Amino acid sequence: MPIVVALFDYDGITEKELSFKKGAKFELVNSDNADWWFVDDGQSEGYAPASYLKLGDDVSEDSSLEEYSEESFVSEEEEEEAEEVEEEQEDEIDLDLDIKGVLNNLKRRKSRMKPVEGVKLLSPDPIEGLSDLHPAYRKSTLAKNDDCGIGKLENSLLPELSASGLAFRDLFLDKNKIRKRSTPCTIAFSVLEARSMALPQGLTILGRHVRMALFDKTNIRSNIHHIPAIATPENQSVWRFSTKASLLFPKDDENTVFLRAKDVDIKLSLLFEMCLTVEHPEKQEPFELSCGWAMFPLFTLDGSPIENKTYELKLHGGTPFEKGIALPEPFEPKRLSFMSSQKFPRLNIRLWKLSSQALGKLNELPETLIANLSCSNVLSVYRQIQAHSLLGHAKDAGVGPKYEPVLSIMPRILEESDLMHLFVGLWDKKYKKLKKSEKQFQRLRRHFTLTVQTMWPLLEIYELPQYVPGNQDRLLQRSKLWSSMQELGTLVFLGKPQGLQFKPFHTDEVEYDYLKRQAAL
């Protein structure tokens, strides 16, 4: 077998990855994947990043630093000129390695990393007919992008094609199991509460929520995720994002989110936008109003990951494109206190350390994704079905159109937080009742498909009120409908004497066509 030599130290993150020191020698067992080679050091075997290895019996002492020296960096102009010539070679470069073993200096981490362009963040439309509105308020920037189809979860769940277009670069099956892929940034955080939130005058408030997305100060680099908020009539200036009484412990529920990012870049931040769904007093047309935004950096200036602790983020007015616009302070009665309380609008979040089990589950998912942590098991099964549908040995496996209700219906369920929590609860309850033999993939797939099909009719009922993030009245109406369905059973519920009106059926609802969806991006 060919011999490969390690150019750098590497610490394996998953059980299938090897840890090694610079100069270590391996037998190259398999190099079919350009990003990860399967090697054997004589005592153990596993995967190693191809960019950390070199074919040959020896390597000079300073070859690693020469290959990744500052002089080897190409400018943006040179990169563009060489793009057509090097298109195939670029696919062989691992874009998502934890390259701390290459160079600690973040500037040198540009080497062999092709920046992900993302989608440029669009500016919101101007607010018309509300001259008395405080100048710090704007229409929601992230809502504008969501309405334009930017940052859809469905798109983030699609595997990425390689440069050749003949394979996927982030989805592999090893002995019918998904190959886990670690990323430089995988974190979990809880959105705790927002304080000192002032409310605009003259508008009817229908709902509250926070939107979030991965942002590099120019482009959206992930899907746009949201969490509904609640506020008591007695204290409208405080928003809570969990119905739990305590905020001291991590919860796999409505306010705890995970983020995966495959890039190492000090410009990468989490963009939070506090949104109100309001109704125009004259036009009676609801729209989303931004009443504050904040950016939370994911890396320190030297490229190190951020600490797991509680953070307080100051909220700014205007849009993320504007600076220095202060939000109004809420009216609060004076309290006798020896300490002056903070009045500026702010958002509190808490970062948590992920367990190895949770991290392993997340490593099965797409390399850039934001979603509720409680969805990780559901998304893992979805990803397995997707991998077998596209890469498996079944007759209909492939990228062409096929009947696959799970892959076509699930993204629609996950986009609406109340249906998402309902589905997660149904699946968790179902999964706990399964015997060990029923958890083998093919049987598990059938049970999962039946659970999805149980939820499908809810999406097609005219009587189900349209989803409005954070609108408690609307959410209550929707919950009554599906509570009735759960009590009566799906078949009895759908055949009730008073009757339900269904939207016209179209085969697109249960068809999964990867190429068509990829072309639409």
Side-chain angles (χ1 to χ4, degrees):
M1 291 184 183
I3 301 298
V4 294
V5 182
L7 296 172
F8 320 103
D9 296 347
Y10 181 73
D11 294 325
I13 298 177
T14 68
E15 295 179 356
K16 294 186 178 181
E17 296 177 30
L18 291 181
S19 298
F20 50 83
K21 298 292 184 182
K22 176 186 173 183
K25 296 182 180 181
F26 308 92
E27 289 186 348
L28 181 58
V29 179
N30 190 309
S31 60
D32 291 344
N33 177 17
D35 295 334
W36 292 89
W37 290 353
F38 196 78
V39 297
D40 188 343
D41 63 2
Q43 297 180 345
S44 58
E45 59 182 18
Y47 289 98
S51 295
Y52 280 50
L53 304 175
K54 181 177 181 179
L55 284 169
D57 293 334
D58 60 342
V59 59
S60 62
E61 282 295 316
D62 58 349
S63 64
S64 60
L65 290 180
E66 287 177 359
E67 185 175 350
Y68 291 88
S69 64
E70 202 67 53
E71 288 73 23
S72 69
F73 298 154
V74 295
S75 64
E76 293 183 3
E77 293 79 8
E78 293 172 325
E79 220 171 63
E80 291 175 0
E81 292 176 4
E83 187 173 3
E84 293 182 1
V85 179
E86 299 181 350
E87 183 177 2
E88 293 185 1
Q89 286 88 336
E90 284 179 352
D91 184 52
E92 297 176 358
I93 297 172
D94 189 10
L95 308 181
D96 41 45
L97 293 176
D98 180 358
I99 55 177
K100 64 181 180 181
V102 180
L103 291 170
N104 292 327
N105 191 323
L106 186 64
K107 293 180 181 179
R108 297 193 176 191
R109 289 181 174 173
K110 297 178 183 177
S111 177
R112 297 202 172 214
M113 291 186 67
K114 181 181 177 182
V116 178
E117 296 298 332
V119 182
K120 188 173 182 179
L121 187 69
L122 302 178
S123 299
D125 298 326
I127 300 176
E128 299 178 353
L130 294 172
S131 57
D132 295 336
L133 195 65
H134 193 281
Y137 295 125
R138 300 283 192 278
K139 282 191 175 181
S140 168
T141 302
L142 291 180
K144 165 71 175 182
N145 285 264
D146 184 61
D147 291 341
C148 293
I150 299 173
K152 290 295 185 183
L153 176 64
E154 179 181 3
N155 298 336
S156 293
L157 294 176
L158 286 176
E160 293 183 29
L161 285 172
S162 63
S164 66
L166 301 177
F168 297 114
R169 63 161 302 276
D170 62 344
L171 185 63
F172 305 93
L173 276 177
D174 293 333
K175 297 180 180 179
N176 289 325
K177 291 185 178 180
I178 288 182
R179 183 185 303 171
K180 297 181 180 181
R181 296 173 64 86
S182 59
T183 61
C185 178
T186 300
I187 61 173
F189 61 94
S190 295
V191 184
L192 302 180
E193 60 182 4
R195 288 189 168 272
S196 298
M197 301 295 296
L199 298 180
Q201 302 299 316
L203 295 174
T204 303
I205 298 175
L206 303 178
R208 299 170 173 82
H209 57 284
V210 57
R211 288 186 180 268
M212 61 197 76
L214 192 62
F215 186 54
D216 64 4
K217 299 183 180 179
T218 303
N219 303 320
I220 291 180
R221 304 275 281 268
S222 73
N223 59 299
I224 299 173
H225 185 65
H226 75 272
I227 301 177
I230 54 176
T232 62
E234 298 79 20
N235 194 354
Q236 296 280 322
S237 65
V238 177
W239 296 14
R240 298 283 295 267
F241 300 92
S242 173
T243 55
K244 302 293 189 297
S246 174
L247 300 176
L248 298 178
F249 303 100
K251 302 285 184 182
D252 290 353
D253 55 13
E254 61 263 46
N255 72 322
T256 302
V257 176
F258 73 83
L259 164 69
R260 282 170 58 80
K262 64 182 178 182
D263 304 306
V264 179
D265 191 340
I266 59 173
K267 294 188 298 182
L268 279 183
S269 300
L270 262 173
L271 172 61
F272 292 96
E273 188 176 37
M274 315 304 296
C275 299
L276 290 170
T277 303
V278 298
E279 198 170 59
H280 196 287
E282 298 178 358
K283 300 180 180 180
Q284 300 294 310
E285 294 179 357
F287 65 93
E288 287 193 30
L289 186 74
S290 172
C291 51
W293 62 270
M295 282 197 286
F296 179 64
L298 298 179
F299 299 97
T300 61
L301 293 177
D302 64 354
S304 302
I306 47 179
E307 296 182 53
N308 296 320
K309 63 179 185 179
T310 301
Y311 293 88
E312 185 174 81
L313 310 180
K314 184 176 181 179
L315 297 173
H316 307 277
T319 71
F321 302 104
E322 301 171 292
K323 294 183 178 180
I325 299 180
L327 289 166
E329 295 182 359
F331 172 77
E332 295 179 350
K334 294 183 178 181
R335 298 180 177 89
L336 294 175
S337 175
F338 294 103
M339 299 179 64
S340 59
S341 60
Q342 293 176 311
K343 292 284 186 73
F344 62 84
R346 57 199 185 276
L347 175 67
N348 294 326
I349 65 173
R350 175 70 162 92
L351 265 64
W352 307 104
K353 182 179 179 180
L354 285 164
S355 66
S356 57
Q357 182 179 3
L359 191 59
K361 188 69 67 177
L362 295 179
N363 284 341
E364 297 176 356
L365 306 183
E367 295 171 327
T368 302
L369 187 67
I370 304 179
N372 281 73
L373 187 59
S374 60
C375 285
S376 58
N377 290 331
V378 165
L379 289 171
S380 174
V381 179
Y382 178 92
R383 189 73 165 174
Q384 291 178 53
I385 294 175
Q386 186 180 58
H388 282 267
S389 177
L390 298 174
L391 302 171
H393 301 293
K395 292 182 180 180
D396 63 341
V399 295
K402 59 177 65 67
Y403 170 76
E404 192 55 79
V406 169
L407 299 185
S408 57
I409 297 172
M410 270 301 298
R412 296 173 59 193
I413 295 174
L414 297 176
E415 288 282 7
E416 302 182 4
S417 65
D418 55 348
L419 292 184
M420 178 267 292
H421 288 298
L422 175 63
F423 181 83
V424 169
L426 289 175
W427 175 243
D428 285 347
K429 186 177 180 181
K430 178 78 172 178
Y431 186 81
K432 290 176 181 178
K433 293 181 178 179
L434 296 180
K435 299 177 181 178
K436 187 175 181 179
S437 60
E438 294 178 304
K439 294 181 181 180
Q440 296 177 355
F441 175 71
Q442 293 301 333
R443 293 186 178 184
L444 189 72
R445 182 176 185 171
R446 286 196 292 270
H447 287 294
F448 193 82
T449 302
L450 288 173
T451 308
V452 171
Q453 291 175 331
T454 300
M455 292 283 296
W456 180 28
L458 279 176
L459 298 171
E460 310 302 329
I461 297 175
Y462 277 114
E463 284 79 4
L464 183 70
Q466 183 179 357
Y467 177 74
V468 178
N471 185 336
Q472 297 302 313
D473 292 337
R474 187 72 61 88
L475 293 176
L476 182 60
Q477 296 174 26
R478 289 163 61 92
S479 66
K480 288 180 179 179
L481 194 63
W482 67 63
S483 294
S484 176
M485 184 184 76
Q486 287 180 293
E487 291 175 4
L488 298 174
T490 305
L491 293 178
V492 176
F493 172 76
L494 297 179
K496 289 197 306 184
Q498 62 268 34
L500 295 169
Q501 294 185 3
F502 290 87
K503 301 172 185 176
F505 170 76
H506 196 282
T507 55
D508 286 350
E509 296 173 25
V510 292
E511 179 187 77
Y512 186 75
D513 187 340
Y514 173 82
L515 292 179
K516 182 179 179 181
R517 293 168 187 262
Q518 184 68 31
L521 293 180

